[in-house]
Amino acid sequence: MQRRYRSRVGVLMLTVAAVFSPSPTPATDTGRGDKDVPAWVRAKVESMQPTPEDRKFDEIGWTNSIVEAEKLARENHRPVFLFTQNGRIEIGRT
Amino acid sequence: MRAGPLSNSEVIDLLNRYFVPVYSSDEDSSPRGHGAQQEKAAHIRIYQEASKKPFGAGAVYVFILNPDGEVIDAMDVAHANQNGALFGMLKGTIDKLHVTPGKPIITPSTQSRPPQHPADALVLHLVARGSLKAFPWREFPGENWILLSRSEWMSLLPRDVTPESTWNLSDALTRKILTDFYPPTEELDTTVDRNEIQTATLTAKPISRTGSILRVQLDGKLVMKRSFYASRPDNFMVNAALVGWIEFDTARTRITDFQIVTKRATYGAAKPEDFSAAIYSVPDSSLP
């Protein structure tokens, strides 16, 4: 099943390539898009990236679960610091 | 907390050298949570134990347990956020228990990560930022991770595409891609969808081909109702004009790049705020 699906996908991609540009020219511009869009979008994506200040939270060595934290606390003779909250603090949806 | 004491270098240092730090979401470990039973039982036990002590307990709270698991201190987040309060709490615990400092028990790592996914999934990362100043939900960006299955990302490129082709992405896929385009708002349970999408469109057209690389531009629109607070309905709306592009490698049958950003976007009601959002593909080699 997987092999047949892959070959159908391969035919689709070849169809697109053949219909789109039958000639061996290195680049084809349709003239339909704004030629600055990819660069503009890429620059905006770059500007939106979380900063080191946004990621300070990640400098803490967080354990994966309360159960694991309690186990590690016993083994390492350390207290547990537990912060409970609503939503997903690690992705800022909280 | 995240932008306050949990971003303070001195607090971070204490947590790493003297404690075993852990955070938990109520949507996982509270009695109504969806997490593992053992985890819920641990959270409930801590909550109930703390409730009987002078420092009390709450849903959004900080708890300190000694190495034997006994709750020895707790503080509500409003108090913990006050200048120096959390640092003082941690220092007091260290002194009381005579904790020996050491390296972090768990090596710090990026906490924002996509869910587990098949190798052929397209992993998309979304980042959204509002523009209000001095507002608690604007201290750091909101993020989401969206996975497109192979059949979903393959459907982005229809058969027989020509230079003159124009097509709309499917409604279902468009909604899946755009539903998280909003700045951070209150969340009580991220598994509950309170969005009401009124308009969501993504229209594609080829813009260039270089060898086997086909580049397609996306233009889109999103009009979506989303109340700011989870349990208090309001008339807040997302209004966004979107632009992006997809790069297909037709020789290797894969998407090599996928990016959509807001051109202009507002969120709110009478005086909506400007916001920005971007969604982009992340190759597995770059994932944390």
Side-chain angles (χ1 to χ4, degrees):
Chain A
M1 175 66 119
Q2 201 171 7
R3 199 177 306 157
R4 263 186 284 146
Y5 182 75
R6 258 200 224 115
S7 68
R8 272 208 293 271
V9 158
V11 166
L12 166 65
M13 288 291 183
L14 286 173
T15 303
V16 166
V19 169
F20 200 83
S21 179
S23 72
T25 51
T28 305
D29 191 331
T30 66
R32 297 178 66 205
D34 181 342
K35 60 180 173 58
D36 295 328
V37 159
W40 187 86
V41 169
R42 213 192 291 267
K44 184 148 186 181
V45 166
E46 198 57 41
S47 75
M48 293 287 297
Q49 294 301 299
T51 63
E53 198 54 40
D54 292 331
R55 291 274 187 244
K56 287 285 281 185
F57 182 79
D58 295 347
E59 293 179 13
I60 299 169
W62 297 106
T63 324
N64 282 334
S65 69
I66 300 172
V67 170
E68 188 189 355
E70 289 189 280
K71 175 176 175 289
L72 290 170
R74 284 191 300 273
E75 292 171 354
N76 293 276
H77 310 293
R78 284 197 185 185
V80 171
F81 169 87
L82 168 62
F83 171 44
T84 62
Q85 34 84 47
N86 296 316
R88 295 288 176 199
I89 193 169
E90 69 275 21
I91 56 170
R93 297 294 195 186
T94 185
Chain B
M1 280 286 284
R2 176 176 153 179
L6 296 180
S7 289
N8 177 283
S9 295
E10 290 180 327
V11 168
I12 292 171
D13 182 63
L14 290 186
L15 289 174
N16 280 338
R17 292 200 296 138
Y18 293 94
F19 289 83
V20 181
V22 60
Y23 61 91
S24 184
S25 173
D26 283 353
E27 67 191 56
D28 291 330
S29 59
S30 71
R32 62 174 174 82
H34 317 293
Q37 278 303 118
Q38 217 180 355
E39 191 70 359
K40 290 169 64 171
H43 183 181
I44 293 166
R45 195 268 304 167
I46 291 165
Y47 184 100
Q48 289 177 341
E49 183 179 327
S51 295
K52 296 171 188 166
K53 299 188 176 180
F55 36 74
V60 188
Y61 234 73
V62 167
F63 302 93
I64 303 288
L65 284 63
N66 67 18
D68 295 323
E70 178 190 355
V71 184
I72 58 171
D73 205 352
M75 190 184 286
D76 66 86
V77 160
H79 188 186
N81 259 324
Q82 290 175 11
N83 200 22
L86 186 62
F87 181 87
M89 182 192 200
L90 300 178
K91 199 72 176 58
T93 300
I94 292 164
D95 293 341
K96 181 177 172 184
L97 299 182
H98 307 290
V99 187
T100 303
K103 293 180 183 175
I105 302 298
I106 299 294
T107 303
S109 64
T110 304
Q111 296 298 296
S112 175
R113 295 186 288 259
Q116 287 193 326
H117 54 275
D120 61 359
L122 183 67
V123 179
L124 302 176
H125 185 208
L126 181 143
V127 182
R129 296 181 185 273
S131 60
L132 293 176
K133 304 294 181 197
F135 185 60
W137 276 273
R138 296 293 173 263
E139 292 163 327
F140 41 82
E143 301 175 59
N144 294 86
W145 292 92
I146 298 101
L147 304 176
L148 297 191
S149 67
R150 184 182 176 86
S151 62
E152 284 176 322
W153 61 256
M154 282 303 303
S155 76
L156 294 172
L157 185 65
R159 290 178 181 276
D160 302 329
V161 171
T162 70
E164 293 76 34
S165 296
T166 299
W167 65 96
N168 289 329
L169 275 57
S170 74
D171 281 349
L173 196 51
T174 300
R175 284 167 179 253
K176 181 173 179 177
I177 291 167
L178 298 185
T179 195
D180 295 314
F181 270 71
Y182 56 88
T185 58
E186 186 199 52
E187 301 284 352
L188 294 181
D189 187 339
T190 58
T191 65
V192 174
D193 182 9
R194 64 179 189 266
N195 293 343
E196 295 173 30
I197 293 178
Q198 297 177 358
T199 302
T201 60
L202 285 170
T203 303
K205 64 188 177 192
I207 53 175
S208 72
R209 177 179 177 270
T210 305
S212 64
I213 305 299
L214 173 65
R215 201 170 269 189
V216 167
Q217 182 172 317
L218 296 172
D219 294 281
K221 181 176 180 179
L222 176 67
V223 179
M224 180 172 77
K225 188 174 191 300
R226 179 183 172 84
S227 58
F228 185 92
Y229 291 103
S231 52
R232 273 186 269 164
D234 57 39
N235 294 322
F236 279 34
M237 298 290 295
V238 169
N239 275 283
L242 309 154
V243 68
W245 57 288
I246 309 175
E247 192 170 83
F248 297 90
D249 185 337
T250 57
R252 292 194 295 165
T253 315
R254 55 191 290 180
I255 289 178
T256 48
D257 220 334
F258 178 111
Q259 299 186 347
I260 301 174
V261 300
T262 49
K263 282 196 301 189
R264 294 172 307 279
T266 60
Y267 174 65
K271 291 183 181 177
E273 71 171 301
D274 294 328
F275 80 92
S276 294
I279 189 170
Y280 50 94
S281 55
V282 182
D284 268 354
S285 57
S286 299
L287 289 173

